[in-house]
Amino acid sequence: MNLREAFSTTKRVLGKPYRDLEFLLMSLQSVLTKNGEAEIAGAIPWISSKELSVEEITPKHVQLYSLIFQLVNMVEINGAVQARRTKEEISLDSVNGLWGINIKELRDAGLSSEEILDALREVVIEPVLTAHPTEAKRATVLEHHRELYLLLVQRENSMYTKDEIDNVNHNIELALYRLWKTGEIYLEKPDIQDELRNILHYLTNVFPEVLPIIDRRLLQAAQFNGINIEDVCANYSFPRLTFGNWVGGDRDGHPLVTSDVTRETLLQLRLNAFVVIRRKLMRLVQRTSFSIGIEEASEALQARVQEMVAETGALGQAAFDRNKGEIFRQFISLMIVKLPVETARGHATRLMELDGTYIHSLQLKEDLRLLQQSLLEYGAKSIAYDDVITVMRVVDAFGFHLASLDIRQNSAFHDQAIEQLLEASQAEDTAFGSWPEEKRLEFLERELQSARPFTHESAKLGPQASAVMECYRVVAKHTKQYGTNCIGSFIVSMTRSVSDLLAVYLLAREAGLTQMSESGMVCQIPVVPLLETIEDLENGTQILGDFLEHPLTQRTLAMLQEKYQWKQPTQQVMVGYSDSNKDGGILASQWNLYKAQYKLTEVGESKGVKIRFFHGKGGSISRGAGPTHYFIKALPHTAPNGDVRLTEQGETIAQKYANPVNAAYNIELLAANSLNKLLKDRKSTRSFHPLADTLERLAQSSKNHYEAMMQMENFIQFFRGATPIDAIEVSKIGSRPAKRTGMNTLDDLRAIPWVFSWGQNRANMTSWFGVGSALNDLEKDNPEGYAELKTALKSDSFIRYVFTNIDTSLAATDETIFQLYIDLVEDEEIRERFRKVLLDELKLARHHMEVMLSRPIEQRRKNHYYSNLLRASLMRSLHEKQVALLKTWRKQRAEKDPETEKTQTELLLTINAISSGMRNTG
């Protein structure tokens, strides 16, 4: 199917989003022509008659295609938003996964308003924003995309006159031209500050505006389902939304994350928290212009105002004098004065602690509660339950730290740090990393009885010990001054044993992050295992059980429980979707994650500890992506427990949160489904998966087939020839190296570029290899089990989620394109051997998914199918261009040709364009 046929078919079947796309393409054609670029304007695909050959495609055309795929993504997102609005206009419970239908399901299940309101206060949602080595879009480009999206939405406004719409259309042309003239790829490697600025945009400009949208939709859904919304407000029955951040704290294989970077990140986060809060308080001042003097206010409010004026001196007095006879405004103005920031021209510009300023956000929250109570006494219930709650929710969500910074490091790095500390203390045996577990534990037990450090602060240490100590001392200094809620936890990558976790206590002791209580040492920052590989997930129950039994852990969790007023001690456990997939393929990864969470929850229950899972998910199916509401429903019984923490990575952040309406939708999915699962799990009996034996067999079988292929002789040679991994490794699209230590091995390669490279060549092998053979084995050896699995696909949440994701990935796999990349492998025997293995397995997977799902994909996933059809019509020429460039570039590199750099830039443009077309980079 040629370009115009594909576009015509898609537009006919799916309608409006693709009419919007046609409008954008014609606008782009118009503005390019006006600016003297008629030749490239004439090459815009889908609306131009000419189709270019691979030889005719220049870097300009590749840039054009990349931009066009971004426009496709944009109109599809907007189309989904409009479709949801149309459904909800008919009935608020008509969109799957949102508040309306979830609360309706709970009411239909017999739950009372009180049960739902109580449970809402227990729901905790925490997206953790991360940057990764395959984020292909510059922040500047993302900004231009956001502007264009808002203009596209404005065209939906039926109140606009023709002239006003003409002006919007004019601005769309300008936005498109700005995008066209802005470089799409990183020519210089971005630094961590670039990544932090991007994340700060979401934390300061998007999420604070999203919070009231989510809350308003919750109130509307509650009212729709017969719940008194005044009860929701009076009981403050809202889910808790907070944010985490890895940029500036994730140092696993990232040498650029120094202690100075972490220090600056913490300060930037704190300053921007005040930017957000001050903005909300200023708006609240405008909205509380009620005529009531201080003498008419409650005694509690009068006393607090006088106290605040005394605390803040001349600045406070000036603020108090500003709105005489409007006590609520005066009170809020004093809150603004007490924020520890300096302002210039009405904007917070730098941190500044003075006598009388707030230290912790709880102090501000107390003043807001007093304001709310005073407004209720005054009779302004609507303002107390709307405007004031909006500010309270922002303070709850962002505190004075904006997002909690996780500090992540690899267990092997910690081992080296301890060895160097032992060397500095002149210990006899310093080979901590190679000691057997029994000896490690004996040493750690002995050391953790004492508060005595190994060395003093000025001691000369080895590089790993210096890096850890400098980082931990930054954390110690910052938390001593501002409290510990600015730090999420110390996360230990590749946790292989309980000693890997206890080792962090020892390092924390060295930096002054522990203290001695009456019963012994406690650690100020929680320590979190990251179980990444399948083996680590299997061993996780033993590791966690031993860790929770350790007295230092128990004391630390008890201290944290008291500090944060938790119902019970809470231990976070991070589970990794990427490395478990890289280890054993999609089925083995998903089943082992399910098993691990079920069993780890049991361990927590046996110890009286709530386990809070932190899901290390990425943007592709291989790395845990999938529809949010189905993901939560697919989790084991009571595993989420109303509390979902998960990573949002790279381009996924832009896709989900670039505009407030879509951002609100994605967070609402998290919160609404967490509430539903929390209450339904409480009302049902805990049991393991009913098809556990079949799933175990499938997982093991698929893992065996996957491992057999990976262990075939010369697999690495094939992989490096048949994917653009070498180009990805030299790309400048993220601050983090693609490899952990620089070794040219599969083990050292990060899971993200591993998945990215298989997506670029359209094989998507990581999300289906082994599935076809495993299902084939099951059908032959256990036909009853095969039939049972097919039946379960219709109703079982876990099975449906996993197999639907595999189906989605298969739909994006194109063997004709993949074979173009296979042909790049120079050794014929290696090339043909792996070609047969991969294509045979793909054929099997497609066959069994057709059998399992009964209907062809164009029927069961119409939107997905036709979107892929449209994209494929343009992507083939891009893939052909990339293959030709890879061939040339590899030859040039080998010959040290001076043209290598130029070819490399062209190659990176194709990587960027293909990732835009595929909608993810890994």
Side-chain angles (χ1 to χ4, degrees):
M1 190 178 289
N2 66 30
L3 288 167
R4 289 174 72 87
E5 287 172 346
F7 187 67
S8 175
T9 301
T10 304
K11 189 171 64 166
R12 175 175 50 78
V13 175
L14 299 183
K16 186 181 180 303
Y18 302 92
R19 292 195 296 273
D20 287 347
L21 176 62
E22 187 173 35
F23 162 76
L24 289 176
L25 295 177
M26 293 178 74
S27 298
L28 179 60
Q29 189 175 61
S30 171
V31 76
L32 289 176
T33 303
K34 288 175 187 174
N35 285 275
E37 298 190 63
E39 187 177 345
I40 197 77
I44 293 177
W46 298 323
I47 63 168
S48 302
S49 55
K50 183 180 180 184
E51 292 195 21
L52 301 178
S53 66
V54 175
E55 292 73 27
E56 291 175 302
I57 295 174
T58 68
K60 263 197 166 184
H61 293 106
V62 175
Q63 183 187 341
L64 176 69
Y65 296 170
S66 180
L67 170 56
I68 285 169
F69 282 129
Q70 289 297 316
L71 300 183
V72 177
N73 297 339
M74 190 178 294
V75 298
E76 288 180 349
I77 287 171
N78 189 47
V81 169
Q82 301 307 325
R84 291 195 296 270
R85 282 177 169 159
T86 301
K87 285 184 178 180
E88 288 193 331
E89 184 68 24
I90 298 167
S91 180
L92 204 59
D93 61 356
S94 60
V95 179
N96 195 12
L98 298 182
W99 283 125
I101 194 168
N102 275 290
I103 294 176
K104 182 179 188 298
E105 284 182 11
L106 294 173
R107 295 308 300 267
D108 289 348
L111 281 103
S112 68
S113 297
E114 291 74 21
E115 287 175 297
I116 293 171
L117 293 181
D118 287 346
L120 273 166
R121 288 196 297 273
E122 293 183 51
V123 173
V124 181
I125 303 300
E126 187 172 7
V128 180
L129 308 185
T130 74
H132 273 302
T134 59
E135 187 175 359
K137 293 285 174 293
R138 293 174 56 206
T140 302
V141 173
L142 293 173
E143 288 290 343
H144 291 325
H145 280 297
R146 291 179 193 115
E147 180 191 355
L148 181 58
Y149 180 85
L150 292 175
L151 289 166
L152 185 64
V153 171
Q154 281 185 33
R155 292 188 79 246
E156 308 285 340
N157 193 328
S158 59
M159 302 292 290
Y160 281 2
T161 66
K162 179 183 179 302
D163 288 342
E164 286 171 326
I165 289 293
D166 285 346
N167 189 54
V168 171
N169 293 345
H170 171 74
N171 290 333
I172 283 173
E173 285 195 5
L174 293 179
L176 285 166
Y177 190 68
R178 277 190 285 271
L179 264 173
W180 169 246
K181 300 304 282 186
T182 303
E184 182 79 352
I185 64 168
Y186 287 115
L187 297 176
E188 295 298 326
K189 204 166 184 62
D191 61 21
I192 297 160
Q193 281 301 318
D194 292 327
E195 293 171 340
L196 183 61
R197 274 191 292 274
N198 193 30
I199 279 171
L200 285 173
H201 168 84
Y202 294 96
L203 291 170
T204 58
N205 297 320
V206 178
F207 294 126
E209 303 311 311
V210 162
L211 201 48
I213 297 173
I214 300 163
D215 289 351
R216 173 52 52 189
R217 287 181 54 79
L218 168 61
L219 293 171
Q220 290 166 339
Q223 189 170 39
F224 177 84
N225 284 289
I227 298 173
N228 187 331
I229 61 173
E230 193 172 305
D231 290 343
V232 181
C233 296
N235 291 292
Y236 203 61
S237 291
F238 297 96
R240 181 164 166 74
L241 175 64
T242 60
F243 296 91
N245 170 43
W246 273 22
V247 176
D250 181 13
R251 45 217 334 113
D252 180 11
H254 200 331
L256 300 178
V257 183
T258 62
S259 59
D260 287 341
V261 166
T262 298
R263 180 188 300 108
E264 181 59 28
T265 298
L266 288 167
L267 293 172
Q268 281 287 316
L269 289 168
R270 184 170 173 84
L271 173 62
N272 280 278
F274 294 126
V275 170
V276 170
I277 290 169
R278 190 176 187 281
R279 197 182 290 158
K280 295 297 181 185
L281 288 173
M282 293 293 286
R283 190 180 300 173
L284 192 58
V285 169
Q286 294 168 356
R287 294 180 174 184
T288 51
S289 55
F290 306 140
S291 181
I292 169 174
I294 187 169
E295 66 284 351
E296 300 172 71
S298 68
E299 288 184 10
L301 184 58
Q302 289 186 47
R304 179 58 181 148
V305 166
Q306 289 164 1
E307 183 181 28
M308 292 167 82
V309 170
E311 288 171 347
T312 53
L315 286 173
Q317 188 65 53
F320 179 71
D321 291 342
R322 198 171 300 130
N323 298 110
K324 291 264 175 76
E326 296 176 341
I327 185 56
F328 299 130
R329 277 185 157 186
Q330 292 173 303
F331 185 30
I332 301 161
S333 296
L334 285 165
M335 293 183 210
I336 294 169
V337 169
K338 283 176 69 67
L339 295 177
V341 287
E342 186 177 328
T343 58
R345 296 182 298 280
H347 297 285
T349 56
R350 70 183 182 92
L351 295 170
M352 179 188 65
E353 276 83 27
L354 298 173
D355 290 342
T357 54
Y358 294 122
I359 300 296
H360 302 298
S361 58
L362 286 177
Q363 297 167 310
L364 172 58
K365 184 77 181 291
E366 284 301 312
D367 284 339
L368 286 167
R369 283 199 191 98
L370 176 56
L371 173 65
Q372 185 184 53
Q373 186 57 41
S374 301
L375 282 163
L376 288 170
E377 291 171 8
Y378 175 69
K381 185 187 294 182
S382 297
I383 304 301
Y385 284 160
D386 193 306
D387 291 335
V388 178
I389 280 181
T390 295
V391 183
M392 291 168 73
R393 294 280 286 147
V394 164
V395 174
D396 277 343
F398 301 101
F400 285 1
H401 60 281
L402 198 65
S404 57
L405 184 69
D406 285 333
I407 307 295
R408 182 174 76 135
Q409 185 54 276
N410 198 288
S411 58
F413 196 98
H414 288 155
D415 286 353
Q416 291 174 298
I418 289 176
E419 289 178 352
Q420 290 163 12
L421 285 169
L422 288 170
E423 287 167 9
S425 69
Q426 298 185 329
E428 288 185 16
D429 186 353
T430 62
F432 176 77
S434 59
W435 290 350
E437 179 70 358
E438 187 178 345
K439 183 176 179 180
R440 285 162 64 97
L441 288 173
E442 185 182 317
F443 164 76
L444 290 166
E445 288 293 342
R446 185 172 63 252
E447 285 295 329
L448 292 173
Q449 300 298 317
S450 165
R452 167 196 52 77
F454 289 117
T455 63
H456 52 82
E457 196 164 333
S458 59
K460 186 171 176 57
L461 301 173
Q464 283 78 16
S466 289
V468 174
M469 286 303 99
E470 287 168 7
C471 170
Y472 280 22
R473 284 169 184 150
V474 164
V475 171
K477 182 179 179 182
H478 194 88
T479 54
K480 184 178 181 182
Q481 190 169 2
Y482 301 123
T484 54
N485 58 356
C486 58
I487 300 294
S489 59
F490 289 143
I491 298 175
V492 185
S493 294
M494 296 297 173
T495 299
R496 299 283 162 80
S497 64
V498 72
S499 66
D500 288 338
L501 301 175
L502 300 179
V504 181
Y505 287 147
L506 190 64
L507 294 165
R509 181 198 74 177
E510 196 71 12
L513 279 166
T514 58
Q515 59 192 50
M516 297 303 289
S517 67
E518 289 182 9
S519 53
M521 185 183 290
V522 295
C523 187
Q524 311 231 16
I525 308 296
V527 176
V528 169
L530 169 46
L531 306 171
E532 297 180 81
T533 66
I534 288 174
E535 184 181 0
D536 295 341
L537 288 166
E538 289 173 339
N539 295 335
T541 50
Q542 184 67 51
I543 294 169
L544 182 66
D546 291 346
F547 186 57
L548 293 179
E549 284 179 0
H550 197 278
L552 203 161
T553 301
Q554 292 175 352
R555 290 191 296 267
T556 296
L557 295 185
M559 178 268 291
L560 292 169
Q561 179 189 2
E562 183 180 357
K563 183 175 186 176
Y564 295 114
Q565 298 295 294
W566 293 333
K567 284 187 176 179
Q568 63 183 127
T570 300
Q571 172 65 47
Q572 190 181 141
V573 176
M574 187 171 183
V575 288
Y577 289 69
S578 308
D579 282 281
S580 58
N581 177 281
K582 186 179 158 197
D583 256 8
I586 188 76
L587 280 181
S589 170
Q590 289 291 324
W591 177 238
N592 279 282
L593 282 159
Y594 183 97
K595 282 195 303 181
Q597 289 176 73
Y598 187 91
K599 292 175 180 177
L600 291 164
T601 302
E602 285 187 326
V603 171
E605 286 180 357
S606 71
K607 311 290 183 190
V609 174
K610 174 187 171 182
I611 303 303
R612 185 188 196 202
F613 288 105
F614 179 12
H615 303 273
K617 289 155 56 75
S620 66
I621 284 164
S622 301
R623 300 190 51 245
T628 297
H629 42 312
Y630 294 137
F631 162 69
I632 291 172
K633 287 175 180 173
L635 293 171
H637 192 285
T638 64
N641 214 6
D643 191 342
V644 176
R645 189 174 204 248
L646 76 171
T647 52
E648 297 285 23
Q649 158 256 293
E651 81 289 337
T652 306
I653 300 171
Q655 287 170 7
K656 287 185 175 181
Y657 304 120
N659 65 82
V661 174
N662 207 44
Y665 168 70
N666 282 291
I667 291 176
E668 185 176 337
L669 286 175
L670 284 167
N673 290 281
S674 295
L675 171 72
N676 188 313
K677 185 162 177 63
L678 170 68
L679 285 169
K680 284 187 175 174
D681 282 353
R682 282 182 181 170
K683 295 291 182 181
S684 59
T685 304
R686 178 179 171 79
S687 61
F688 198 41
H689 199 286
L691 294 185
D693 290 345
T694 299
L695 289 167
E696 182 69 38
R697 176 179 181 153
L698 270 176
Q700 190 57 52
S701 174
S702 68
K703 182 172 182 281
N704 291 343
H705 289 289
Y706 179 89
E707 286 178 337
M709 186 269 295
M710 298 268 281
Q711 290 164 8
M712 285 172 65
E713 189 178 0
N714 297 314
F715 172 73
I716 293 293
Q717 187 177 338
F718 172 80
F719 164 63
R720 295 195 69 82
T723 75
I725 182 61
D726 45 353
I728 291 168
E729 287 169 346
V730 301
S731 67
K732 297 177 173 65
I733 52 178
S735 68
R736 180 193 299 278
K739 300 172 186 174
R740 280 194 163 92
T741 65
M743 298 284 288
N744 200 23
T745 64
L746 194 57
D747 284 344
D748 196 56
L749 182 68
R750 291 182 180 279
I752 306 155
W754 159 253
V755 171
F756 188 15
S757 58
W758 287 109
Q760 281 281 306
N761 72 3
R762 299 298 294 285
N764 297 313
M765 178 276 292
T766 53
S767 52
W768 54 258
F769 195 92
V771 173
S773 291
L775 288 169
N776 216 43
D777 294 345
L778 181 66
E779 185 183 30
K780 280 194 287 188
D781 300 340
N782 183 5
E784 297 84 5
Y786 186 87
E788 198 175 21
L789 184 72
K790 182 179 177 181
T791 302
L793 256 170
K794 298 182 179 70
S795 58
D796 184 273
S797 297
F798 173 74
I799 293 172
R800 186 174 64 230
Y801 176 71
V802 172
F803 280 90
T804 301
N805 282 343
I806 293 168
D807 183 47
T808 298
S809 187
L810 284 168
T813 300
D814 189 324
E815 55 266 50
T816 61
I817 287 174
F818 177 33
Q819 295 209 58
L820 300 176
Y821 289 82
I822 292 178
D823 289 340
L824 287 169
V825 178
E826 294 178 353
D827 187 294
E828 183 181 0
E829 189 278 326
I830 295 172
R831 182 174 67 238
E832 297 312 316
R833 176 157 45 97
F834 282 100
R835 188 196 306 270
K836 182 174 182 350
V837 168
L838 285 157
L839 294 181
D840 284 355
E841 182 63 24
L842 178 60
K843 185 177 178 182
L844 264 182
R846 288 197 192 282
H847 163 71
H848 285 288
M849 291 306 293
E850 287 285 341
V851 172
M852 284 277 153
L853 295 163
S854 301
R855 293 183 301 154
I857 190 165
E858 58 264 38
Q859 291 178 21
R860 63 180 185 266
R861 307 283 297 283
K862 187 172 78 169
N863 282 21
H864 194 81
Y865 173 80
Y866 283 101
S867 174
N868 279 348
L869 178 77
L870 179 68
R871 291 164 190 270
S873 67
L874 183 56
M875 286 183 74
R876 181 169 182 92
S877 58
L878 272 172
H879 285 292
E880 289 173 349
K881 184 70 176 179
Q882 186 179 86
V883 167
L885 287 167
L886 270 170
K887 197 178 294 185
T888 301
W889 178 68
R890 286 170 177 173
K891 185 172 183 292
Q892 288 173 338
R893 284 183 94 192
E895 296 172 357
K896 296 185 169 50
D897 190 313
E899 291 291 301
T900 305
E901 190 72 24
K902 181 186 172 191
T903 307
Q904 183 171 302
T905 301
E906 289 186 43
L907 186 52
L908 296 184
L909 278 169
T910 66
I911 289 173
N912 191 71
I914 289 168
S915 69
S916 296
M918 292 295 293
R919 286 164 285 189
N920 72 72
T921 59

